[in-house]
Amino acid sequence: MPSNDRTDVIIVGGGIVGAAIARELAKYDLNVLLLERHPDLAMETTKANSAILHAGFDASPGSLKALLNVRGNELFRQLQADLGLELKLTGSLVVATSAAEMDAIGELYSRGGENGVPGLKILSREQVLDIEPNLTEQTLGALHAPTAGIISPFGAALAFAENAALNGVKIIRECPVTAIAVTDGRIAGVHTPHGFIAARFVVNAAGVGADTVSRLAGDDSFRIKPRKGEYLLFDKKASCLVKTVVFPTPTKVSKGILVSPTVHGNMFVGPNALDCRDADDVDTSAAGLAEIVAGAEKLVPGIPVGASITQFAGLRAVADGGDFIIGPSPAVGGLVHAAGIQSPGLTAAPAIAERVAAVLRDLGLEMKPNRRFNPVNPPRVLFSELDAAARQALIRENPLYGRVICRCETITEGEIVAAIHSVCGARTVDGVKRRTRAGMGRCQGGFCGPRVTAILARELSLPVTAVRKDTVGSYLFFDKIPRLCEVDSR
């Protein structure tokens, strides 16, 4: 645990918003601590969403969602090179299939103009089908947003967190906040299973648990309602039917069931929108998956259901009033909320971070520039993207790059070891998967999973029975057969 004599800011929650806030505060000479309750960062809403860089035409003008979506889109494009973000500006289409929907995209066009979204155009049927020839024959036109794109949400959160850590922010995982101490109406610190940490300010970026964290400090000013969305992901070897993000015209509760490519070359369909009571309910159902396939078929007939490789669900944090809640607590001094961050929260994250930093400054936090701040992350090796000569040179330098562990995605042992020992390194099998894509392919880890487990055990000096899949108690094996695995030693 860090020294508790001078923690300026504690950030509760290591998703995309908490990580972006950590990096923003790393620009200043501050003692900042990020606490995450799970074994890895970005394990809740951030890891299971549509992975869209939204242009910003959907939210009501003047709302925080509208203001921070457009600013966040701009910031992500500026940060791509420095942080090594996996981001592609594919553009997006909102497709109309009726006269009423053509009226609706006209309203979206006007709203986007008020929000300051650049480059919006309403396309004719012929122009739309020229971009996306696999759309339904019912297509009448579409709203085109060239600044929209696709991004790796986990990769972005990790990039923010790594840069924050490289610039002095302390990040502690498996450290839930169990109570918040308040003295004379002001934050005094937080209690954790590892001890008490004194702090001047607490930033609440706890996602679907943000209202629970707020109440720990005695602030009962808002509620978060979890809303589940289910997805279906397809094998990258299956035909990708779209090149851009394809939306239907939105409803009052959701942007609708979309069809989109991913930054890694797959295609997905989803999400639906199911209000639920349980903030841990990420189960999928046959009815839900049928709903998203039917919705996707209305836009793109011939969805290749037989080529799906996995399904998953994620939760959005829907706040009272529907807008983001960003600002000081009305009840507790030193408590700042970054709550209710549903879509377009991923896109807005770096702009939310700017706003939280401004709130802290307004509350009296002295923020001198960190003169040693380095905005650039070190590059990662992506073996599958190297040419033959570069691969051979890398293998001569480090033979671990000559052993392919994940055959589906061509991920080497060298990349897995680097992911384990990097800043904010992987501690679980799924942590390796999210950092390297080992286990993301057609077999979903059926071949490489045991080898990744053995590498984790070897590199972290753990028995195989202590290696976890993802969550705190997710141990994979009861015992190990007394036989050597090919990766038991380097």
Side-chain angles (χ1 to χ4, degrees), residues 166-404:
L166 290 169
N167 285 290
V169 173
K170 299 180 183 67
I171 296 175
I172 304 177
R173 290 172 279 180
E174 297 192 61
C175 191
V177 171
T178 56
I180 297 178
V182 176
T183 302
D184 297 329
R186 279 199 57 84
I187 289 291
V190 304
H191 293 274
T192 79
H194 308 292
F196 178 73
I197 309 169
R200 297 175 59 202
F201 295 91
V202 168
V203 175
N204 174 14
V208 293
D211 55 346
T212 302
V213 169
S214 180
R215 285 196 291 274
L216 289 178
D219 178 354
D220 196 19
S221 60
F222 65 91
R223 289 283 186 277
I224 297 293
K225 180 172 61 178
R227 181 174 292 159
K228 182 163 66 174
E230 296 166 276
Y231 296 86
L232 204 56
L233 183 73
F234 298 91
D235 186 357
K236 63 173 61 173
K237 293 181 179 176
S239 174
C240 190
L241 298 176
V242 295
K243 300 185 290 291
T244 61
V245 182
V246 179
F247 294 98
T249 51
T251 68
K252 291 183 178 179
V253 298
S254 151
K255 295 181 176 65
I257 295 168
L258 57 123
V259 183
S260 175
T262 74
V263 288
H264 299 116
N266 301 87
M267 182 181 79
F268 77 86
V269 300
N272 50 4
L274 305 167
D275 290 335
C276 51
R277 296 180 179 178
D278 184 354
D280 295 315
D281 178 8
V282 288
D283 292 341
T284 58
S285 68
L289 297 175
E291 178 189 359
I292 61 173
V293 171
E297 289 270 2
K298 291 179 181 176
L299 289 174
V300 184
I303 295 294
V305 177
S308 65
I309 55 175
T310 191
Q311 69 269 0
F312 61 94
L315 297 172
R316 298 92 125 179
V318 182
D320 305 334
D323 203 359
F324 298 154
I325 299 172
I326 302 171
S329 161
V332 181
L335 177 63
V336 176
H337 297 304
I341 312 299
Q342 59 170 318
S343 179
L346 169 62
T347 309
I352 292 171
E354 285 185 337
R355 198 171 188 95
V356 167
V359 170
L360 289 167
R361 185 183 291 108
D362 289 344
L363 291 176
L365 180 63
E366 187 178 11
M367 299 173 72
K368 296 179 180 177
N370 176 3
R371 300 188 184 283
R372 292 171 294 180
F373 178 75
N374 180 355
V376 180
N377 279 347
R380 288 192 303 131
V381 171
L382 298 173
F383 186 84
S384 63
E385 297 184 5
L386 300 177
D387 61 28
R391 289 183 180 187
Q392 288 302 319
L394 190 62
I395 292 168
R396 283 195 295 274
E397 182 181 332
N398 182 351
L400 291 182
Y401 287 97
R403 181 185 279 165
V404 174

